[in-house]
Amino acid sequence: MIDTTVASDGALLRVLMVEDAPADAELCERELKRAGLRIVTRCVDTRPAYEQALDDFMPDLIISDFSLPTAFDGLTALDLARMHSPDVPFVFVSGTIGEERAVEAMKRGATDYVLKDRLNRLVPVIERALHEVEERHARRVAEEELGETQRRLNSILSSLSDVVSSYAVAPPGMLYMSEAAENVYGRSTADFLASPELRVGIVHPEDRGAYEAAWQKVLEGGRFDLEYRVVRPDGTERWIHGRGTPARDAGGAVVRIDSLARDVTSRRTNEERIARLTRIQAVLSGINAAIVRLKDKQQLYEEVCRIAIEEGQFQLAWVGELDKATHEVNPVARRGVGDSHAHVGKRSASADAPRGGGALGLAVRSQQAVAVNDVRTDPRVGKPGAALAHGLLSFAVLPLITEDGVSGVVVLYAAETDFFDADELRLLSDLAGNISFALDSMNKAAKLDHLAYYDALTGLPNRSLFYDRVGQSIARASGTDQKVAVVALDLERFRTVNETLGVAAGDAFLKRTAERLLNAVGEGGTVARLSADRFTLSFSHSMGEVDLARLLQDRVLAALEAPVSIGGQELCVPAKAGIAIHPADGAAAEALVLNAEAALNSAKRSGTRFLFYARQMNARVAEKLKLENELRSALRDNQFILYYQTRVALATGKVCGLEALIRWRSPTRGMVMPGEFIPVLEETGMILDVGRWAFTQAAADAAAWRGKGLTPPPIGVNVSAIQLKQPNFVEDMIKAMQDRTGVGKIDIELTESMIMEDVQGSGSKLSAIRAAGIGIAIDDFGTGYSSLSYLARLPIDTLKIDQSFIREMNTSPEHLAIVTTVISLAHSLKMNVVAEGVETEEQAGLLRLLRCDEAQGYLYSRPQPPDVVAGTLS
Ligand code: C2E
Ligand code: CA
Ligand code: CA
């Protein structure tokens, strides 16, 4: 084993020779050197030496004889070389080599073979082999480098949590997708590579439009940058932030799209959660502010709903109060979408009610917030239809827990599913807690308020509330003709009741008194209890003091004095009253109460049932009431009498009618004229009886005259507005006439204002009256405001021109003009015209000239009693 070195300008080539004949080896060596190769050689002819050389000589080239004298041979050497150094060229150089063996050698990996007698081929063969080795080496290095890069890239890509993908435009298809797809999309990269349509298929239907639009943009060379949702095979959703850039070919056409998809689900859900929590915080602080500000439950409920919708962006909010007796929740405030819908209806929270098992009932019974995060799937939702119809997907029921248990619920609906997680519920429970706290304090305040303003025993307003109410009435009355009256009442023997029957009976009596007063006063006034047995009333009114006195006497005092049974005892407790009236008797409530009490004390001292604080009023009222009482007996005692005044035909001077005028022959007052008592009769309603009397009396007088063989002319009877308003006025009138057939003609006189008050009603009444043969005259014509054209439509026979026009006619051209016009108009309407109050010949002459039909007045006769009139009749 000798290594010989041949120097050359190329690289040193290590040549291992397997040769038993040194000459042959030399020949080869010379041949190589001749070609200028720098070589170092080792020659071996045994297997151990060969194997050793493979190890330590590390040849670049092996040149081997085919057959060796030892047990060793060329093919074995080849096999060993292929095993040990597969890349080293192995060339057989042999004297003889059969075709068969050559093929065998090549199959087993020999590089080539050269016959010993053709050694000139050796160098080209070697050079080619070495070149191939070099190329193979270079390729392998390149391959190794590429493989290394590829491996590194792959490991980088697969370590990315983002999905990297590459997509071919035409034909469309996925070229590459990183392993993260498995994790993000829940599908293998193989799935994507196999089906190109999966790229769009995984996108959430709602986001598909935006996705396709963005993809189209990138196909046209733009950039893809979009957040969208994908749906995984298990149905869960993920938020993806996708970014893509187009890759172009040399011609600039987009051929590929490379993209990166990042799972941003947790960021998105966090954002949403933070937004939700922010919304709830806004609701919480808004409601806290409202709690401080509001004092009224209903207002608070409504504000809670408003804030939930406007600031919390809930879709629907409603508040229900729990009826503890029926276990029903009644909505009391609501706001938002579909708030009129069935799902805010009244419902039962009791466990055995059909819907009581629902979320609402659960919240009420468990006293805990209940969240339904998907109405479609939650078994606690009976029929989600109504909610779904309004896009309401989740809701929470927050019980309002006040000191005496659950008092109601706040229900909030959101458009999203899974809106209410633990954090939200905790905030919302705080919210419900704050509302409940506010309700508690409102309840307490209300109780205190009630105690502060109401008398605990009777429930009537106490002194401060009474002052307040009177103050309000005074404020309302200012600038109007309204008066405010304060009445102080005294139960004269209340102290005795307390002392003899005990406090319990006294209390019962006071309660009964309160009830009776409320009943007597009704809606028209306020009843209060200022102290033990001091009740007060207040009225806001525009009635006269006499009406007030009447109300007090006939209703209030009468009610108080009616016997009452307390503890089995019949009690009769006389009451007294004092009245003060704003503004005359005091500017403010306190002064009015003081003065009413002063008046009450005077009443008690003087023994009268009630007194006004203003003395002159007492006299006036007393006088009026006295007159009233006397009039009441006047009818009964037959103190009324009809006087008659004649009506004369102006053309002939003959009597053509009588007017019945009432007089009152009072035993104490003497002859009283109607002007003094008709208004009182009208105020008290006594006019109905007196009016009926007048009509029948006129008929009776006429009958009496006829009985004496006289022929009385038609008699006009005055009728009051009150009478005309009676629904049975016409019947009454006709009946009175039928009772006295053959008495002659009786007419009625009505004033124009009475008729104008109700033209239509009057019209039908008058027609019926006239149909019964009763004539109708309009009295005092000209004093009202009616137009003749109105009256033209009514069945009127006679117009009586008021005496004020007749009196002025001679001196005032305007009055004369009016009288002239009225006469001619009345004539054109076929009415008979009567001039009233004719006192002078001058007036009579003028009226005759104006063709007035009849006249009535002192010129012809004063009103006279029936027997005197009889003398003038023929
Ligand atoms: P009247 O219906 O306008 O009656 C005419 C009034 O004028 C009568 O007053 C009569 O005495 C008075 N009088 C008649 N001629 C003259 C005159 O030449 N000069 C002056 N200055 N006065 C004259 P009297 O009787 O005091 O009645 C007053 C009013 O009382 C009547 O006005 C009528 O409205 C009402 N009245 C009278 N009797 C009744 C009755 O029975 N029922 C109703 N409801 N009212 C009646
Ligand atoms: Ca009259
Ligand atoms: Ca008259």
Side-chain angles (χ1 to χ4, degrees):
M1 280 202 304
I2 300 144
D3 293 349
T4 41
T5 308
V6 179
S8 134
D9 43 332
L12 198 62
L13 188 70
R14 307 173 75 83
V15 182
L16 176 58
M17 292 191 177
V18 184
E19 183 63 74
D20 59 328
D24 284 355
E26 201 151 325
L27 272 176
C28 287
E29 216 181 301
R30 198 180 306 149
E31 198 62 31
L32 297 176
K33 282 177 181 162
R34 218 163 39 92
L37 294 170
R38 289 178 66 227
I39 57 170
V40 53
T41 60
R42 181 182 286 187
C43 196
V44 295
D45 57 359
T46 63
R47 180 171 175 154
Y50 177 72
E51 284 178 330
Q52 169 122 33
L54 286 176
D55 271 343
D56 63 12
F57 183 65
M58 290 186 290
D60 300 316
L61 172 69
I62 300 169
I63 294 172
S64 175
D65 197 355
F66 208 81
S67 47
L68 299 167
T70 54
F72 196 39
D73 68 27
L75 281 178
T76 309
L78 174 61
D79 289 343
L80 288 171
R82 288 304 65 129
M83 270 156 46
H84 191 277
S85 321
D87 292 334
V88 176
F90 191 102
V91 179
F92 278 115
V93 175
S94 183
T96 54
I97 186 159
E99 193 65 24
E100 238 170 86
R101 285 212 282 178
V103 169
E104 173 71 12
M106 297 308 279
K107 267 191 194 158
R108 282 160 78 163
T111 309
D112 212 340
Y113 66 89
V114 176
L115 293 174
K116 280 186 178 167
D117 52 358
R118 297 263 172 80
L119 271 183
N120 59 335
R121 268 195 72 231
L122 183 62
V123 170
V125 163
I126 286 170
E127 282 182 335
R128 202 185 69 228
L130 288 175
H131 185 69
E132 277 176 8
V133 166
E134 233 165 68
E135 275 193 338
R136 207 162 45 234
H137 178 71
R139 195 161 57 239
R140 190 171 308 138
V141 168
E143 272 173 10
E144 267 168 15
E145 275 172 8
L146 184 67
E148 179 57 28
T149 313
Q150 197 76 51
R151 270 193 300 282
R152 210 178 294 148
L153 191 66
N154 262 340
S155 105
I156 290 172
L157 290 180
S158 60
S159 72
L160 280 180
S161 52
D162 296 352
V163 182
V164 177
S165 60
S166 205
Y167 188 83
V169 172
M174 198 62 81
L175 297 171
Y176 171 79
M177 182 170 267
S178 67
E179 285 167 30
E182 178 83 55
N183 196 19
V184 175
Y185 300 136
R187 294 169 200 268
S188 72
T189 51
D191 289 348
F192 286 96
L193 295 173
S195 37
E197 70 281 355
L198 205 52
R199 178 181 59 81
V200 181
I202 57 171
V203 177
H204 193 287
E206 283 172 21
D207 296 346
R208 218 167 265 170
Y211 178 88
E212 305 246 52
W215 189 257
Q216 188 54 40
K217 222 175 95 194
V218 77
L219 286 178
E220 288 161 9
R223 288 186 155 274
F224 179 96
D225 194 330
L226 181 72
E227 288 198 1
Y228 58 95
R229 284 165 295 171
V230 295
V231 183
R232 293 156 53 98
D234 61 4
T236 56
E237 292 172 9
R238 291 280 176 99
W239 274 99
I240 303 298
H241 181 193
R243 274 167 294 177
T245 41
R248 300 163 193 273
D249 65 8
V254 174
V255 290
R256 210 180 67 231
I257 290 159
D258 297 327
S259 62
L260 189 74
R262 173 166 296 175
D263 185 335
V264 291
T265 310
S266 66
R267 193 202 79 211
R268 290 290 298 223
T269 43
N270 259 333
E271 275 174 8
E272 282 166 8
R273 256 195 76 220
I274 289 167
R276 280 204 306 273
L277 288 173
T278 312
R279 274 158 60 179
I280 295 175
Q281 284 285 10
V283 173
L284 192 60
S285 62
I287 287 174
N288 285 348
I291 286 170
V292 176
R293 185 163 41 87
L294 300 177
K295 298 279 169 274
D296 174 74
K297 272 190 204 179
Q298 185 62 31
Q299 278 180 348
L300 177 61
Y301 292 152
E302 272 158 22
E303 190 65 356
V304 166
C305 294
R306 187 194 66 77
I307 292 169
I309 301 299
E310 288 177 11
E311 284 165 45
Q313 289 159 33
F314 285 100
Q315 298 300 301
L316 169 67
W318 64 274
V319 179
E321 273 188 346
L322 179 70
D323 183 328
K324 295 218 165 76
T326 62
H327 278 279
E328 272 176 345
V329 174
N330 303 309
V332 288
R334 58 187 88 183
R335 192 139 168 155
V337 298
D339 60 356
S340 59
H341 231 274
H343 52 283
V344 264
K346 173 178 182 154
R347 63 192 44 183
S348 178
S350 114
D352 33 273
R355 294 185 62 191
L360 187 118
L362 201 61
V364 169
R365 292 191 304 274
S366 69
Q367 307 208 347
Q368 283 191 339
V370 170
V372 167
N373 273 313
D374 191 339
V375 296
R376 295 168 298 193
T377 54
D378 200 303
R380 294 169 298 181
V381 180
K383 291 187 202 115
L388 282 178
H390 290 96
L392 308 172
L393 291 182
S394 58
F395 69 91
V397 185
L398 315 168
L400 299 174
I401 305 157
T402 45
E403 280 181 351
D404 47 353
V406 175
S407 69
V409 291
V410 174
V411 187
L412 301 172
Y413 278 86
E416 305 92 327
T417 52
D418 301 314
F419 187 92
F420 305 95
D421 74 5
D423 281 340
E424 273 95 34
L425 275 187
R426 195 175 41 70
L427 272 180
L428 288 171
S429 300
D430 284 356
L431 174 79
N434 291 357
I435 298 172
S436 307
F437 175 76
L439 291 178
D440 269 333
S441 59
M442 281 176 185
N443 285 340
K444 278 180 205 151
K447 248 180 232 159
L448 278 177
D449 262 10
H450 202 267
L451 285 181
Y453 291 114
Y454 290 89
D455 166 39
L457 177 67
T458 60
L460 293 177
N462 64 11
R463 186 180 292 267
S464 34
L465 184 56
F466 183 72
Y467 283 177
D468 189 61
R469 294 263 170 94
V470 172
Q472 287 177 18
S473 301
I474 289 174
R476 271 197 304 274
S478 85
T480 72
D481 64 347
Q482 290 259 308
K483 292 174 200 152
V484 178
V486 169
V487 179
L489 293 168
D490 182 70
L491 305 166
E492 285 209 286
R493 284 202 295 268
F494 172 68
R495 202 150 298 154
T496 339
V497 174
N498 240 355
E499 280 161 8
T500 56
L501 298 178
V503 179
D507 283 355
F509 174 73
L510 289 173
K511 279 192 195 167
R512 284 298 301 275
T513 303
E515 286 162 16
R516 291 164 140 198
L517 284 173
L518 285 171
N519 252 332
V521 167
E523 296 287 297
T526 302
V527 181
R529 182 176 175 231
L530 301 202
S531 62
D533 61 341
R534 183 55 50 82
F535 289 87
T536 52
L537 315 175
S538 85
F539 301 94
S540 209
H541 66 98
S542 50
M543 51 185 164
E545 45 279 2
V546 180
D547 295 315
L548 188 62
R550 232 179 257 137
L551 177 113
L552 204 58
Q553 181 175 279
D554 299 349
R555 294 187 61 106
V556 179
L557 295 178
L560 289 183
E561 286 167 358
V564 58
S565 144
I566 298 290
Q569 283 237 223
E570 279 281 293
L571 293 180
C572 230
V573 178
K576 292 229 176 331
I579 309 162
I581 297 173
H582 170 85
D585 302 342
E590 288 83 346
L592 288 171
V593 170
L594 273 178
N595 289 341
E597 285 179 344
L600 172 63
N601 288 333
S602 312
K604 280 158 82 173
R605 272 197 308 275
S606 66
T608 24
R609 294 176 82 199
F610 64 91
L611 279 180
F612 284 87
Y613 176 71
R615 297 237 168 116
Q616 75 283 10
M617 207 170 279
N618 289 326
R620 217 163 47 228
V621 169
E623 168 53 32
K624 196 112 173 242
L625 290 180
K626 189 159 152 261
L627 178 63
E628 242 180 76
N629 288 338
E630 288 178 13
L631 281 168
R632 258 179 248 280
S633 37
L635 186 63
R636 195 182 54 227
D637 299 345
N638 221 0
Q639 294 167 4
F640 291 118
I641 181 175
L642 288 181
Y643 272 39
Y644 294 91
Q645 186 180 32
T646 54
R647 235 163 54 208
V648 174
L650 276 166
T652 60
K654 284 199 174 135
V655 171
C656 58
L658 294 172
E659 175 173 7
L661 294 162
I662 196 167
R663 302 288 181 265
W664 174 28
R665 289 174 306 194
S666 160
T668 53
R669 300 163 193 263
M671 185 68 85
V672 187
M673 299 302 278
E676 284 177 56
F677 62 88
I678 294 271
V680 180
L681 293 180
E682 284 181 332
E683 277 169 39
T684 55
M686 286 189 274
I687 192 70
L688 294 178
D689 291 334
V690 176
R692 204 174 294 120
W693 170 86
F695 198 78
T696 39
Q697 185 60 42
D701 288 338
W705 289 323
R706 278 178 191 275
K708 289 181 185 158
L710 302 168
T711 325
I715 302 174
V717 177
N718 292 286
V719 167
S720 152
I722 314 275
Q723 288 171 273
L724 186 65
K725 277 186 199 146
Q726 293 303 304
N728 52 357
F729 171 70
V730 179
E731 282 168 46
D732 263 17
M733 190 94 358
I734 293 171
K735 209 162 142 247
M737 284 305 290
Q738 281 164 350
D739 290 350
R740 324 223 158 222
T741 39
V743 294
K745 196 160 163 49
I746 301 222
D747 301 326
I748 58 171
E749 296 189 4
L750 305 165
T751 60
E752 49 179 323
S753 47
M754 285 159 64
I755 294 167
M756 295 313 296
E757 245 176 60
D758 172 21
V759 175
Q760 232 155 33
S762 309
S764 54
K765 279 180 184 171
L766 298 187
S767 303
I769 288 169
R770 218 185 27 188
I774 300 171
I776 296 158
I778 298 297
D779 207 352
D780 304 343
F781 186 78
T783 54
Y785 297 95
S786 56
S787 70
L788 266 175
S789 63
Y790 250 135
L791 295 178
R793 294 186 222 151
L794 297 172
I796 291 163
D797 306 285
T798 304
L799 218 57
K800 296 182 81 174
I801 304 176
D802 190 71
Q803 41 183 283
S804 57
F805 296 97
I806 308 302
R807 199 180 306 128
E808 309 283 332
M809 193 172 58
N810 294 82
T811 51
S812 151
E814 292 96 68
H815 283 90
L816 179 62
I818 291 171
V819 173
T820 313
T821 314
V822 170
I823 293 171
S824 66
L825 275 175
H827 280 163
S828 72
L829 294 172
K830 308 256 178 321
M831 290 179 188
N832 188 39
V833 187
V834 180
E836 282 192 312
V838 179
E839 295 183 354
T840 64
E841 276 299 350
E842 213 183 339
Q843 292 164 341
L846 199 48
L847 288 165
R848 245 191 312 275
L849 275 178
L850 295 174
R851 306 223 171 284
C852 182
D853 304 290
E854 298 169 19
Q856 178 182 346
Y858 296 168
L859 177 64
Y860 308 101
S861 106
R862 293 199 167 243
Q864 291 170 317
D867 48 335
V868 179
V869 178
T872 66
L873 297 178
S874 51

